[in-house]
Amino acid sequence: MDSDGTQDARGTHATPVPRSRSAVPPRPTAPPMPDGSAFLTWLRTPRPEAAPGVWRFGHVARPEEEPEVIPARQLFSGALIAFLVGWLIWSLLWNEYLGGYWMWPYYALTPESWTKPKTEGEEIVGSIASYLYYGLVAVGIMIGAGRLGRWSEIWRRYLRPALRRITAPQTGEAPPPPQEDPAQWPALRAVGAVDVAERLAAEARAGMMRDVDHARIARAWQSVRSGRHSLATFTGAVLKDGAAACLHPSGERDLPTRLSRHDLVTGQVRLGTTADDPRNPYAYRGTGLALGPELLGTSLLAVGPAGSGKTGTVVRPLAESLCLHALAGRAAVVVVGAAGAGLGPADAYDVVVRIGNPESVYDLDLYGGTTDPDEAAAVLAEALVGDLADPHPGSDSRRSTTVLAQLLGPFRAVHGRFPSVPELRQLLDGAPGPLAALRTALEGSGQESLLRELDARERQMAHPGDVGGVLADRVALLDRPAFAGFFDASGLSRPFSLKALDHPVRVRIDLPARGHADASRMLARLVLAQFTASVAVREDRSLFACLILDDATGVVTPEAVRGIQRLRSGNAGAVLTLRSLDDVPRPLRGPLLGAAGCRMALSGLTPWDGQDFAEAWGKEWTEARDVTDRQIIAETPAGKALHAVRRVITGKAPTARAVTVRQVERERWSASELAHAVPPGHAVLSLTDVRGEHAPPLLVDLRD
C-alpha cells in the first residue's frame, strides 16, 4: 500500500513512510539528455520572402495599403442594429404582417401533396420541407443583415483571434512532410546522401545541434555544390563528427554571449521594430527591422550625436551577427573602435589587436601584407595624408604615393622588407646617413632604375613645398614611445594583415583614442584603405567581408569614398558611424551619402545634418487636403431665426466646410522633422540591398 493507503502491485501492505524535510531525491548519475524540440521549432518556423529590412522569422505579411478601420463602438452598434432589423423583418414575415407573398416560392416548387397532405407520411414530409424553407429564408435575412452590419469584420478582428488564443495551447502543429522539412535535410537526400541526412536529423532531434552548426554545415554543403570541395570529404566529416563537422579554425561553435536576436537561416540580426507611425508605409508598421549581408553589402552610414545609441544598438549587434557568420564560414569581419568601446568580449574574436597596449598579442602590419612597393605606397599615403588632399571627389594623393614609392622600392630591394616606422621617418626627413647607406647598397647591385628613384627623391627634397616633410610629420605620430613595440617590419612579431580576409576570420582592432587622437584617425584610415584594397583582389568572393568603423571621424577621404563604392562588386561592405556630418568635408558629404546604400539618422541630429539626409532621400508625391470653413448667410427671416438659435446653442456662426484634395511633392523627411520629431532611442533608416531593391526611410524603435 502506498502512502495514501492504496495497495501496492505485489498485493502486500507497505508501511507508510513519513515525509521528512531533509529527504532529497538522489543525485543523478548522468547529466539530463538535451531536448531538440526548441531547435526544431526554430528551424521549422516559416520565413516568407519580405521587403528589404523586414525581420522574416515568423513574419506575417500585411497589405500594402492601410484598410479602412471602423471604430469598435460604431462597428458593434451597427452590427446590433442590423441584427435587430433582421429580427424585425423575420417577425413581420412570421406573423404575416407583410402578407403571404414570401411563401409563394415554396408553393411553386413543392408538390401539392406536401402543401395539402392526405396521409400522415405526406404531412411529415411537408412539415420538414416547410421548416427547411423557413430556415433558408431566415438564413438569407441574416446574411443580408450580416453584410449590412459587417459581422465578418467583427469575426476577423475580435472573435477569431480570441478563438486562436484559446485553442492554441491545446493543439500542436504537425511537422511538415520530409521533402519540405529543413530538419530532414532534403537537399542531401536528393543527391543520395541519406546516411548523412539521417545523422544530422538525429543530432537535431537529440538537441546536439545549434543554429551556428546548421548554418556552418549548410555553408559547407554549398561549397560542395559549387565544386570547391568534394562530396566524399564532406560526407566523411559529417559521418565522423555529426553536428560538429566542418568546424571554424578556432574550434568554437558559438559566441560566449549574445545580446541580440539572430536568425542564421536568413542571416539577419534584429535591430528594433518599425514604429506604427503614419509616415511609415503600412506594410512595414509594427514589423521587426533586421539587417543582413544582403543589405550590409551596400554599406551602412549611421549618424547621431554621442549617447544616441550608435555603438550599443547598431555596431554591437552587427559585430555580433558577423562573428556568428564567421563561425558558420560565411563571413570575415574587422571591427575597429576605441579601446573599451563595448564592441564585444575578446573571446568573441580570433584576433584582437590592441595598438599601444604592451600586452597585445598581435601587431598591425603597416603595409597590409603586400610585397609590391607601389601598392604599399598607395595605401600608406592614403593613411598618412588622405585627409589633407583636396576634398573634392576628383582629387587624390598621387604626389605622396610617388614620394613613398621612391623610398619603399629601394629599401625593399636592399633589405628584403619594408622600413620600420623609425627608419621610414629618417628617410622622409632626408637624414644623410640612411640615404647614403641605401645608395651605397644599390650601387653594388646594379639596379639602375631604383637608383634613379632615389636620385629623384633627393632632388625633390631641396625644393620648397616638398610633401616629404608633411609625410615625415605624420609618421612621427606613430614614432612614439607608446607604439615602440608595434608596426614591426622585421617579422619577429605577430603582425595581422588584412590579406587574411580570404578566410572566415573575426578581428577586433582597438585604437588608442586617449592622448593619440590624430594617430587613431590615421590608423583608422590605414585599416579602411587596406580593407578596400584587399577585398578587391580576393580569390574567394563567396565569403562576405565587412569592416565596421565605430567612429569614422577624419576617415572619409575622396579615395575612401571611391573604395566604398567598389565594395559591393567584391561581396563586401562597410559600416561607418559619425557623430555629425560636420566631421566630413562639405564636398564629400553628398558622395558619401550616395555611396552608402543604407543610411541611418539617429535621434538628436542637427538641422543642417538633417538637411543633407533630406536631400539624399528626395521627395515623393503625397495627397494634401485643404479644409475651408465658409460662413452661411441666411436670406429669409426663418433662416435668420434658425441661424440665431444655432449661434446661441453652439456659440458659433453656421458654416459650410469645403475640402480640396490635391497632389503635392514633399520631402520624405524634412530637416526639421529629423532634428525634432525623432524620439529618443529611435532612428530613421533607409535601405538598399545588393539587388537594388529599396525601402523608403523608416522610423525605427531601436529599443524594442
Side-chain angles (χ1 to χ4, degrees):
M1 184 181 295
D2 295 336
S3 59
D4 58 354
T6 59
Q7 193 174 17
D8 63 2
R10 295 170 296 180
T12 61
H13 293 275
T15 303
V17 178
R19 298 184 182 273
S20 175
R21 294 184 180 180
S22 61
V24 295
R27 178 178 296 178
T29 58
M33 290 296 295
D35 185 10
S37 59
F39 172 77
L40 294 177
T41 301
W42 169 83
L43 186 60
R44 290 167 176 165
T45 300
R47 297 167 174 85
E49 294 293 332
V54 173
W55 174 251
R56 292 171 52 191
F57 181 79
H59 172 63
V60 178
R62 305 182 68 182
E64 293 294 332
E65 299 293 336
E66 181 177 7
E68 183 180 357
V69 179
I70 302 174
R73 180 177 179 181
Q74 179 181 349
L75 184 64
F76 279 100
S77 61
L80 178 61
I81 292 173
F83 174 76
L84 295 177
V85 169
W87 190 5
L88 176 62
I89 294 175
W90 171 252
S91 178
L92 293 176
L93 293 176
W94 184 259
N95 293 293
E96 297 183 354
Y97 286 105
L98 300 179
Y101 304 106
W102 65 289
M103 294 295 296
W104 285 1
Y106 173 74
Y107 294 136
L109 297 175
T110 56
E112 187 177 355
S113 60
W114 291 6
T115 57
K116 298 178 180 181
K118 297 179 180 179
T119 63
E120 184 178 358
E122 293 176 349
E123 183 178 358
I124 295 175
V125 173
S127 177
I128 295 174
S130 62
Y131 278 105
L132 287 176
Y133 179 74
Y134 299 154
L136 289 176
V137 174
V139 168
I141 293 174
M142 287 298 103
I143 290 176
R147 293 177 62 90
L148 182 64
R150 297 185 176 92
W151 293 359
S152 59
E153 187 168 350
I154 294 178
W155 166 258
R156 288 193 302 267
R157 289 172 58 177
Y158 300 101
L159 299 181
R160 185 167 60 183
L163 186 62
R164 286 179 177 176
R165 286 193 297 268
I166 295 174
T167 59
Q170 302 175 359
T171 60
E173 294 185 0
Q179 64 273 14
E180 299 178 3
D181 188 1
Q184 298 296 327
W185 297 86
L188 294 177
R189 298 177 185 273
V191 298
V194 180
D195 50 350
V196 177
E198 290 292 342
R199 174 67 186 276
L200 295 175
E203 299 242 332
R205 290 192 299 270
M208 306 302 293
M209 182 177 289
R210 311 172 187 176
D211 54 353
V212 178
D213 299 330
H214 181 274
R216 187 183 63 253
I217 294 174
R219 165 71 179 180
W221 171 244
Q222 183 181 2
S223 300
V224 172
R225 296 187 61 183
S226 62
R228 289 191 297 270
H229 298 89
S230 65
L231 178 60
T233 304
F234 171 78
T235 303
V238 174
L239 292 178
K240 177 184 176 182
D241 301 323
C246 311
L247 276 179
H248 185 265
S250 65
E252 300 292 336
R253 297 173 62 183
D254 204 349
L255 296 179
T257 58
R258 297 194 192 185
L259 299 181
S260 304
R261 295 181 59 185
H262 303 272
D263 183 22
L264 292 181
V265 174
T266 59
Q268 293 181 316
V269 54
R270 180 168 177 145
L271 297 185
T273 302
T274 308
D276 190 4
D277 189 272
R279 288 168 292 195
N280 288 335
Y282 182 74
Y284 276 95
R285 296 179 196 172
T287 62
L289 193 285
L291 298 182
E294 74 283 351
L295 291 170
L296 296 179
T298 63
S299 297
L300 168 66
L301 175 66
V303 182
S308 59
K310 298 187 299 297
T311 302
T313 60
V314 179
V315 173
R316 176 68 185 271
L318 293 179
E320 192 175 273
S321 174
L322 291 169
C323 286
L324 290 174
H325 281 285
L327 290 179
R330 295 175 173 177
V333 57
V334 180
V335 183
V336 182
L343 302 178
D347 296 342
Y349 296 91
D350 304 314
V351 177
V352 179
V353 182
R354 298 184 174 96
I355 301 177
N357 189 341
E359 298 179 357
S360 178
V361 177
Y362 290 92
D363 191 4
L364 181 64
D365 192 338
L366 197 63
Y367 302 98
T370 183
T371 58
D372 184 3
D374 293 329
E375 181 181 351
V379 173
L380 191 57
E382 169 65 16
L384 294 177
V385 295
D387 59 328
L388 300 180
D390 186 359
H392 289 83
S395 65
D396 52 29
S397 53
R398 294 181 184 178
R399 290 182 60 192
S400 303
T401 303
T402 303
V403 170
L404 288 172
Q406 289 171 344
L407 296 173
L408 296 182
F411 191 94
R412 180 171 180 78
V414 172
H415 299 280
R417 60 176 177 84
F418 289 120
S420 63
V421 171
E423 291 171 336
L424 181 60
R425 181 182 180 183
Q426 291 178 353
L427 292 174
L428 290 171
D429 278 334
L435 287 176
L438 194 59
R439 173 178 293 278
T440 302
L442 286 175
E443 288 176 348
S445 63
Q447 301 186 33
E448 299 296 333
S449 60
L450 295 179
L451 277 173
R452 289 195 298 270
E453 290 284 315
L454 199 59
D455 292 339
R457 176 86 286 270
E458 291 178 346
R459 288 194 303 269
Q460 292 170 2
M461 288 180 185
H463 295 168
D466 179 40
V467 297
V470 178
L471 291 170
D473 293 339
R474 286 301 180 91
V475 174
L477 296 175
L478 302 179
D479 191 16
R480 306 297 301 163
F483 308 134
F486 288 85
F487 316 118
D488 182 31
S490 63
L492 300 179
S493 63
R494 300 181 64 182
F496 169 75
S497 169
L498 269 74
K499 294 293 184 181
L501 294 180
D502 280 329
H503 309 284
V505 64
R506 302 167 294 167
V507 183
R508 194 186 78 188
I509 301 177
D510 293 343
L511 301 177
R514 181 175 298 179
H516 301 279
D518 292 335
S520 296
R521 287 192 288 268
M522 189 165 58
L523 292 173
R525 287 196 300 271
L526 175 66
V527 175
L528 178 57
Q530 291 183 359
F531 179 81
T532 55
S534 298
V535 297
V537 296
R538 289 190 305 163
E539 295 181 1
D540 184 10
R541 295 193 176 184
S542 64
L543 195 70
F544 179 71
C546 188
L547 172 68
I548 300 178
L549 277 173
D550 187 37
D551 185 6
T553 302
V555 177
V556 180
T557 64
E559 185 60 34
V561 173
R562 286 193 289 266
I564 293 173
Q565 291 173 340
R566 295 191 297 264
L567 291 179
R568 185 188 304 189
S569 61
N571 192 22
V575 178
L576 309 179
T577 66
L578 291 168
R579 295 186 181 92
S580 173
L581 288 177
D582 289 339
D583 297 330
V584 179
R586 165 57 66 180
L588 293 179
R589 296 180 191 177
L592 176 62
L593 290 170
C598 304
R599 313 177 189 100
M600 176 182 288
L602 288 93
S603 61
L605 210 65
T606 60
W608 42 93
D609 283 348
Q611 184 62 41
D612 292 325
F613 275 98
E615 292 178 357
W617 285 328
K619 299 180 179 181
E620 63 178 349
W621 288 100
T622 60
E623 188 178 82
R625 291 176 174 265
D626 296 331
V627 180
T628 305
D629 288 336
R630 180 179 58 84
Q631 183 176 356
I632 302 175
I633 306 300
E635 298 180 356
T636 62
K640 292 179 180 180
L642 181 62
H643 286 186
V645 173
R646 183 175 177 182
R647 186 180 296 107
V648 170
I649 296 174
T650 62
K652 298 179 181 179
T655 58
R657 176 169 294 182
V659 180
T660 303
V661 180
R662 53 194 178 91
Q663 295 289 328
V664 297
E665 192 176 20
R666 292 180 178 174
E667 293 177 329
R668 299 177 184 269
W669 279 82
S670 67
S672 178
E673 289 176 331
L674 291 172
H676 306 293
V678 180
H682 290 63
V684 180
L685 173 65
S686 66
L687 302 171
T688 304
D689 63 11
V690 293
R691 298 184 301 271
E693 296 184 15
H694 297 268
L698 306 170
L699 180 63
V700 181
D701 186 356
L702 300 176
R703 302 167 300 182
D704 188 3

